[in-house]
Amino acid sequence: MQTDGRRGGRVTLATVADALGVSRATVSNAYNHPERLSAALRDRVLTTARELGYAGPHPLAATLSRGRVNALGLVYDDPMSFAFRDPAAVLFLQGVSEVCEHEDLALVLISGGPEGAVARVALVDAVICYCDVPIEGKLAAIVDRGLPFVVVDGPRLPSAGHVGIDDRRGAATAARHLLDLGHTRLGVLAMPLVDDGWEGTVDEDRQDRARYRASRERLIGYREAVEAAGHRWSAVPVEERVPYGRDAGRRAAAALLARRPRPTALLAMSDELALGAMAAAADAGLAVPGDVSIVGFDDIPAAADAHPALTTVRQPHREKGRLAAELLLRPSTTADEHRLPVELVVRASSGPPPWR
């Protein structure tokens, strides 16, 4: 509690105003709207406040009086550490934070259990949902609160903005690239399809039950390109490993490369999986792309720096983050849908099959 050392009572904004002979609004402006006071007057207010032991308006009280906290929430479906560990998520976070810095907004990262307890109480004005999930848990908590929100890469919801890419088209482009090079024995490294901790060779029933939108759309894109080229999708093995990351890609690729006949090209649903696949190829003594071609998805910075450099589908992660934040700052456009472009970036990790 702030107390007036001279009088022994509680020091309030009114105490400072009375000591200076100014209005309470003047003292409030010194903290909340300094541009409304001259530099000399503001300095007098702050100096007197310090002498009296007044630290300024209580943040929560000020927030309640304004009806705003000047903060955006960023909801993750993954553990909080994912935002700082996964290269694609890091780029997305950079984009959001750039807008927050420019607009002088706080950014609150929200994760937690499936019931969305943190999302229900977080002090934010609007929310970016970086969640590839149906309306449940954290996403349901945001909907129930009536906050403006934008969904990124997840389901399209009424009255909510949406930012994403054409995952299906990007995946089909990657598959066609390998098929055009002459590959007929393909393998797929899948991101998690269902949130159940399962791993192994994915049968068609599990593919049909894929819960995550990005995984499902990329799988469909691969399949459409393969079947359009006259090949049977059932002949394309799909491997899924958990937890998601580079090691999952390494283990999934090891299983694919141990098959006989061995696939001559691997389609990875992310660059992290693809980089793990390159490590698995090295473990098996296979040359990339001489013995096996590898194509990723994302174009994270490590893709261009890999040896050999990784062919991948580029998506604009930072731009997704910036756009999502900007939509929340323009209420009239919050419910808009924005689909950002993807493009195939051909590098050294893909080439013709060994027999060509």
Side-chain angles (χ1 to χ4, degrees):
M1 175 183 293
Q2 302 170 103
T3 59
D4 184 345
R6 295 177 298 184
R7 289 179 286 183
R10 180 172 178 268
V11 179
T12 65
L13 183 145
T15 308
V16 179
D18 291 344
L20 285 165
V22 300
S23 68
R24 298 180 184 185
T26 297
V27 178
S28 175
N29 284 338
Y31 291 94
N32 299 317
H33 299 286
E35 73 282 357
R36 297 180 182 177
L37 304 182
S38 68
L41 178 55
R42 182 170 187 263
D43 184 62
R44 281 181 55 209
V45 171
L46 297 180
T47 298
T48 301
R50 280 194 298 271
E51 291 173 352
L52 293 173
Y54 179 65
H58 191 283
L60 183 56
T63 291
L64 293 175
S65 66
R66 290 195 309 266
R68 288 183 56 82
V69 295
N70 292 328
L72 295 185
L74 178 51
V75 176
Y76 287 92
D77 188 43
D78 297 285
M80 186 70 71
S81 59
F82 181 82
F84 304 96
R85 183 182 69 248
D86 180 74
V90 168
L91 290 170
F92 176 80
L93 180 58
Q94 286 177 359
V96 175
S97 63
E98 286 167 3
V99 174
C100 289
E101 288 171 1
H102 184 267
E103 299 294 333
D104 196 24
L105 298 172
L107 178 60
V108 180
L109 304 186
I110 302 170
S111 188
E115 297 305 316
V118 177
R120 292 187 184 278
V121 300
L123 289 176
V124 295
D125 300 309
V127 177
I128 298 169
C129 299
Y130 195 38
C131 301
D132 190 357
V133 295
I135 304 178
E136 58 187 41
K138 292 179 283 294
L139 202 54
I142 300 303
V143 173
D144 292 344
R145 289 180 62 181
L147 293 174
F149 69 103
V150 171
V151 177
V152 179
D153 290 342
R156 186 75 173 93
L157 300 178
S159 75
H162 189 272
V163 177
I165 61 169
D166 192 338
D167 289 278
R168 188 180 302 193
R169 176 179 172 273
T173 300
R176 279 196 299 270
H177 169 65
L178 293 173
L179 293 163
D180 290 345
L181 287 170
H183 292 278
T184 57
R185 297 203 303 270
L186 306 178
V188 172
L189 287 73
M191 299 186 297
L193 301 175
V194 181
D195 185 20
D196 58 2
W198 182 89
E199 63 178 28
T201 303
V202 181
D203 60 21
E204 291 200 37
D205 175 68
R206 185 172 179 83
Q207 293 179 37
D208 292 339
R209 292 188 293 107
R211 176 172 180 264
Y212 294 111
R213 178 189 166 279
S215 301
R216 182 177 64 250
E217 288 296 301
R218 293 178 194 182
L219 203 58
I220 293 172
Y222 294 148
R223 178 171 188 162
E224 289 180 348
V226 167
E227 292 180 339
H231 304 294
R232 290 182 301 108
W233 175 248
S234 60
V236 178
V238 179
E239 291 288 337
E240 179 183 355
R241 296 292 185 277
V242 292
Y244 168 79
R246 200 170 296 191
D247 181 65
R250 189 173 195 157
R251 291 184 290 115
L256 289 170
L257 296 175
R259 285 176 168 263
R260 295 296 180 269
R262 185 178 66 232
T264 62
L266 302 181
L267 287 160
M269 286 191 184
S270 75
D271 287 349
E272 282 291 275
L273 294 177
L275 293 170
M278 293 176 75
D283 293 341
L286 300 174
V288 177
D291 297 313
V292 59
S293 289
I294 299 175
V295 177
F297 201 117
D298 281 331
D299 199 26
I300 61 175
D305 295 334
H307 299 287
L310 181 65
T311 294
T312 187
V313 177
R314 175 182 293 159
Q315 63 164 313
H317 297 285
R318 286 178 67 178
E319 178 60 24
K320 280 203 296 188
R322 284 194 294 265
L323 181 56
E326 289 168 354
L327 285 176
L328 291 175
L329 301 178
R330 303 194 300 269
S332 62
T333 62
T334 298
D336 287 356
E337 180 173 11
H338 296 264
R339 181 173 288 186
L340 299 178
V342 295
E343 63 174 320
L344 180 70
V345 180
V346 179
R347 298 193 178 106
S349 70
S350 58
W355 57 79
R356 293 190 72 171

